[in-house]
Amino acid sequence: DGGITQSPKYLFRKEGQNVTLSCEQNLNHDAMYWYRQDPGQGLRLIYYSQIVNDFQKGDIAEGYSVSREKKESFPLTVTSAQKNPTAFYLCASRVPGARNTGELFFGEGSRLTVL
Amino acid sequence: AQSVTQLDSQVPVFEEAPVELRCNYSSSVSVYLFWYVQYPNQGLQLLLKYLSGSTLVKSINGFEAEFNKSQTSFHLRKPSVHISDTAEYFCAVRGSDTGRRALTFGSGTRLQVQP
């Protein structure tokens, strides 16, 4: 079955360490997105990529980096510069034909806890 | 920039009672509106969407939402809730007059169905 796989599902890291969250999709979707979820704040856009080798900053890109070397992969690195990285991270891809409407399909999320 | 307001952070309701989850968005020339549902420690699933046409849209599990352009609202309703409807619900919008190709989400409403 097609879908988005995020790994790891749970991750613990010490302060000052970089960590990379994996997002892989076998849906052949062009556009991919990373959102951060905090209690009571909903989802906030970190980065998005419309096409391979291209990506744009979202609303809260500081302290994060991404790459899009392959269509199916959009990893997110949480760097030590991110002041409050503990959160639930959601990867999504845009449904085909939804270039204008923006409809998204989500992965199951990765929960990062900084100790 | 587009914005979405979900005024109620939590809505407790008894099983078989009706419920309304409110969503208001900032005005735009035209918009595309979505409701997503999230069960604990999972990603978001699309519940229903308004793209054009009939202002009343329905999901397969009994939820419905009505697009009201004059009030810039897209409230979600269900005439009789079930325990299994307990989840967090997110309203999202994409304005057609922006170059930003990403959805903007509200802060979420936690629906708690009690027996």
Side-chain angles (χ1 to χ4, degrees), chain A residues 4-72:
Chain A
I4 297 177
T5 301
Q6 289 189 241
S7 61
K9 190 169 178 65
Y10 298 95
L11 183 62
F12 298 88
R13 124 183 166 190
K14 294 181 180 179
E15 283 191 29
Q17 290 180 336
N18 291 356
V19 62
T20 297
L21 306 180
S22 171
C23 176
E24 302 281 331
Q25 54 107 350
N26 61 1
L27 300 166
N28 200 34
H29 291 177
D30 289 320
M32 298 185 73
Y33 301 76
W34 275 105
Y35 284 88
R36 169 180 170 142
Q37 183 180 8
D38 296 281
Q41 296 192 51
L43 279 69
R44 293 181 289 167
L45 182 66
I46 306 173
Y47 268 98
Y48 62 106
S49 168
Q50 301 290 323
I51 197 169
V52 173
N53 293 323
D54 185 53
F55 47 83
Q56 290 81 39
K57 293 182 179 180
D59 299 317
I60 56 165
E62 184 176 351
Y64 299 96
S65 65
V66 293
S67 63
R68 187 85 187 279
E69 297 177 0
K70 299 185 297 182
K71 187 175 184 177
E72 58 270 24

Side-chain angles (χ1 to χ4, degrees), chain B residues 2-6 23-26 33 91-93 104-107:
Chain B
Q2 287 284 319
S3 66
V4 179
T5 302
Q6 293 182 247
C23 172
N24 288 88
Y25 62 92
S26 59
L33 293 155
C91 183
V93 64
T104 298
F105 286 83
S107 56

